[in-house]
Amino acid sequence: MPDTDAPVNTVLFVHHGQVNAAGAPVSLRLALKASEPLRRFEPIIAAHDANAGLFISGFCGVRQVFWPNPQTFVGKVIIRLSGLDSSESILMFFRQCLRFPMSVLAQRGHFRELKPDAVHLNSSVLFSTALAAWLRRIPIVWHVRETIAGRWFRLRRIFCRYVIPLLATRVICISPTEAKRFTNRFGNIRVVYNPVDFSRLDPDRLSREEARSRLGLPQDARIVISLGGCASRKGTDLLIQALQYCCLLYTSPSPRDRGNH
């Protein structure tokens, strides 16, 4: 285990995906902007996608560096975020498995060049980056933003449950739901909720009537809001099915009316 008592001067924040307005990049850039403890060291944003790095670093004015491809599809399959349900996905998985060792070596070389005091992984899919940092004996803060799927005794679930806490100096889970998926035998699991920008999401700055008026919504309309990406694992399909069911109930005639037809 790396020495966690050593002074920290530079922290490398490794982002895993492309540019989007999803929770992971937004949460990271809000944390970099608002957190007082983070101002005590030099943060560096590392991303394979330049636009994603700019999305995060441009918002908070920190340095950005290019990062080798971390072969994240392998990690997505391991945590069951993606499945091997098509020929394309199977081909991509085996292609990235072949590239995985070279990816670890390339990232290890970047760690040697940048010499960060600690590395922050912005997703649970960054297994190659974690291994590269671990081999360099760099303290790892592994931010788990995805629930590790699968039953308790499934092989991939067992692998994640033990390997992530083993490689990481600290594991940050965004809620107790993610945290309970891991073993805490190393005592390094922490729950830290995603930050919220209350300068934009302040209910006192905008009334219900004004908000609906700006959005062009009727004042008496019933509105359902789904927070999160449009993905099956986040329950989008269940929400649509529920809305369809509610619409059928609302538009169908009552038993009394059906008896009159």
Side-chain angles (χ1 to χ4, degrees), residues 136-154:
R136 291 289 303 169
R137 298 188 62 80
I138 303 172
I140 300 169
V141 177
W142 202 331
H143 213 138
V144 176
R145 303 181 181 278
E146 305 85 4
T147 300
I148 309 301
R151 296 183 179 179
W152 191 257
F153 294 105
R154 293 290 177 87

Side-chain angles (χ1 to χ4, degrees), residues 8-236:
V8 175
N9 299 313
T10 302
V11 175
L12 189 69
F13 292 83
V14 182
H15 182 63
H16 58 291
Q18 297 179 339
V19 60
N20 53 50
V26 171
S27 174
L28 178 55
R29 72 180 192 174
L30 285 177
L32 288 171
K33 178 185 178 183
S35 179
E36 182 65 32
L38 293 181
R39 300 186 186 127
R40 301 174 186 172
F41 55 81
E42 179 192 0
I44 301 175
I45 302 297
H48 180 67
D49 183 89
N51 291 326
L54 287 172
F55 179 80
I56 300 171
S57 62
F59 183 85
C60 48
V62 302
R63 178 184 170 194
Q64 176 197 358
V65 296
F66 171 78
W67 198 251
N69 191 334
Q71 311 298 325
T72 54
F73 189 72
V74 174
K76 290 180 180 180
V77 172
I78 291 175
I79 70 170
R80 298 178 66 90
L81 186 62
S82 297
L84 301 176
D85 49 6
S86 67
S87 58
E88 291 80 5
S89 62
I90 294 174
L91 180 61
M92 181 184 295
F93 177 73
F94 282 105
R95 185 185 295 126
Q96 289 204 3
C97 284
L98 292 175
R99 296 172 178 171
F100 194 90
M102 293 304 299
S103 174
V104 172
L105 290 176
Q107 293 178 84
R108 187 180 179 188
H110 275 58
F111 282 130
R112 182 171 57 250
E113 179 182 349
L114 293 171
K115 295 181 174 60
D117 297 284
V119 59
H120 174 278
L121 308 181
N122 203 34
S123 170
S124 57
V125 303
L126 290 167
F127 285 91
S128 63
T129 312
L131 183 57
W134 185 80
L135 290 173
R136 291 289 303 169
R137 298 188 62 80
I138 303 172
I140 300 169
V141 177
W142 202 331
H143 213 138
V144 176
R145 303 181 181 278
E146 305 85 4
T147 300
I148 309 301
R151 296 183 179 179
W152 191 257
F153 294 105
R154 293 290 177 87
L155 182 60
R156 283 184 284 182
R157 172 80 180 276
I158 295 174
F159 177 84
C160 296
R161 192 171 76 224
Y162 289 99
V163 168
I164 290 179
L166 176 64
L167 294 178
T169 309
R170 291 288 184 269
V171 179
I172 298 177
C173 299
I174 62 173
S175 80
T177 301
E178 285 76 25
K180 71 179 182 181
R181 294 278 174 161
F182 295 98
T183 177
N184 200 20
R185 64 168 56 187
F186 304 108
N188 58 351
I189 309 293
R190 301 290 186 273
V191 174
V192 179
Y193 295 97
N194 282 338
V196 177
D197 185 359
F198 286 107
S199 65
R200 298 181 58 194
L201 302 175
D202 185 354
D204 294 331
R205 296 179 60 185
L206 197 66
S207 67
R208 178 180 183 275
E209 291 74 17
E210 187 178 359
R212 288 181 174 236
S213 177
R214 288 188 181 184
L215 295 172
L217 299 172
Q219 295 295 329
D220 58 347
R222 295 183 178 181
I223 301 172
V224 177
I225 297 178
S226 175
L227 300 178
C230 186
S232 177
R233 66 185 180 86
K234 296 189 177 182
T236 307

